[in-house]
Amino acid sequence: MVILDGGMGRELQRSGAPFRQPEWSALALTEAPEAVVGVHAAFIAAGAQVITSNSYAVVPFHIGEARFAEEGRQLANVAGQLARHAADTGPHPVRVAGSLPPLFGSYRPDLFQPERVEEVLRPLLEGLAPHVDLWLAETQSAIAEVRAIRAHLPEDGRPFWVSFTLQDEDVDTVPRLRSGEPVAEAVQAVIELGAAAVLFNCSQPEVIGAAIDVARSVIDQQGGEVAIGAYANAFPPQPKEATANDGLDELREDLDPPGYLAWAKDWRARGASLVGGCCGIGPEHIAELKLSLG
């Protein structure tokens, strides 16, 4: 079992770092970089073996078109540097995942602009590349964006992980991405793209188990060696019109560290080998995972 970290944004806010809309977690890259290192370090101390760069909000959607054009690459570079420093000074070996977020807005596959993928993705890749051990396209709502990201990745030998966000409202019997596409199709695409891992994140824990089952079935049918992972959020179900990071959602009281661990144990039993947390999952949750699963 590989233990991942938890959510960066809420931990930054909890630490007292500058935190406001629309910059969200990107604000601390320039105004409180020491807080970013502190959050990374807290997750590492809790037992995380993979931490994710604080580059999720380094996109025009959060920092604006003009600032992204001017500073996007440098902000991504700072995010990579801070994560690398925390990883290299921690008490145990830690890999750094370079976060490649939804390029045009979380939970909103309808906002995807294929003609702009290279323009937005290139600064992230160039800024993060000197510092990361693997590429993580996370909170992906649609297969098309994952294909586009993979097409622009450097052929640098680093593993490519893909993490999808799932429908957690009006759920039917078929696990689906927020685009409505079946998870089975998404996993098949990930295999074809040569990804080393498929994960499910920023969704309620209740919908992740079924997605893991589907992923395991598709991977077994293909005879592949793609790892499976999960890192849920602690939010109530997010409606189709929701936009991630547009405000601080209330956290579910039942997803305290023991409550979250119960879900993680279920994911492991279903075949997950990479487990961490997303929004609202803090170092105390990761410590519980490490103690019981790591």
Side-chain angles (χ1 to χ4, degrees):
M1 177 66 67
V2 175
I3 304 298
L4 312 178
D5 61 1
M8 171 64 70
R10 197 172 291 261
E11 287 305 304
L12 283 172
Q13 196 230 17
R14 191 162 73 164
S15 74
F19 196 78
R20 64 172 183 260
Q21 297 170 266
E23 297 97 334
W24 218 241
S25 57
L27 189 64
L29 294 173
T30 54
E31 296 194 14
E34 70 286 350
V36 177
V37 174
V39 173
H40 284 316
F43 281 122
I44 292 169
Q49 297 158 296
V50 178
I51 61 171
T52 302
S53 64
N54 182 33
S55 47
Y56 190 91
V58 183
V59 288
F61 183 85
H62 286 288
I63 66 174
E65 295 283 356
R67 188 176 184 194
F68 181 81
E70 271 188 41
E71 303 178 41
R73 184 184 183 282
Q74 175 58 21
L75 290 172
N77 181 60
V78 170
Q81 284 181 327
L82 298 177
R84 184 80 268 160
H85 174 73
D88 289 348
T89 57
H92 57 263
V94 176
R95 286 181 288 168
V96 175
S99 174
L100 304 176
L103 301 176
F104 307 101
S106 300
Y107 299 176
R108 292 294 303 277
D110 57 305
L111 298 181
F112 178 53
Q113 302 174 55
E115 71 281 1
R116 294 192 64 199
V117 168
E118 183 171 11
E119 170 196 347
V120 180
L121 184 62
R122 185 63 51 197
L124 291 172
L125 295 172
E126 291 177 351
L128 290 168
H131 314 292
V132 304
D133 301 299
L134 62 98
W135 298 110
L136 171 60
E138 58 177 343
T139 322
Q140 296 296 309
S141 294
I143 297 170
E145 184 161 356
V146 172
R147 290 189 185 278
I149 289 172
R150 178 64 184 91
H152 290 90
L153 282 186
E155 296 298 333
D156 55 16
R158 279 178 266 207
F160 178 44
W161 292 7
V162 178
S163 193
F164 293 105
T165 181
L166 305 167
Q167 285 186 357
D168 52 18
E169 186 186 61
D170 301 326
V171 178
D172 60 25
T173 57
V174 177
R176 298 181 186 276
L177 311 187
R178 294 191 188 272
S179 62
E181 297 167 294
V183 165
E185 292 181 15
V187 175
Q188 181 63 47
V190 164
I191 294 171
E192 293 168 1
L193 293 172
V198 60
L199 304 93
F200 304 101
N201 81 295
C202 215
S203 310
Q204 283 209 307
E206 284 87 346
V207 301
I208 286 179
I212 291 173
D213 290 345
V214 169
R216 178 83 277 147
S217 176
V218 173
I219 292 166
D220 288 347
Q221 288 171 14
Q222 297 293 318
E225 296 185 3
V226 180
I228 299 173
Y231 52 114
N233 62 34
F235 298 156
Q238 297 296 294
K240 291 181 173 62
E241 64 272 16
T243 301
N245 295 340
D246 63 357
L248 282 178
D249 288 281
E250 292 295 322
L251 300 182
R252 291 170 46 178
E253 293 183 3
D254 62 313
L255 292 180
D256 59 1
Y260 192 76
L261 173 64
W263 288 107
K265 286 181 174 179
D266 176 66
W267 302 333
R268 182 182 63 176
R270 293 170 184 260
S273 59
L274 308 163
V275 176
C278 201
C279 311
I281 302 302
E284 63 276 16
H285 295 81
I286 301 306
E288 192 86 6
L289 298 184
K290 179 62 176 176
L291 181 64
S292 298
L293 304 180

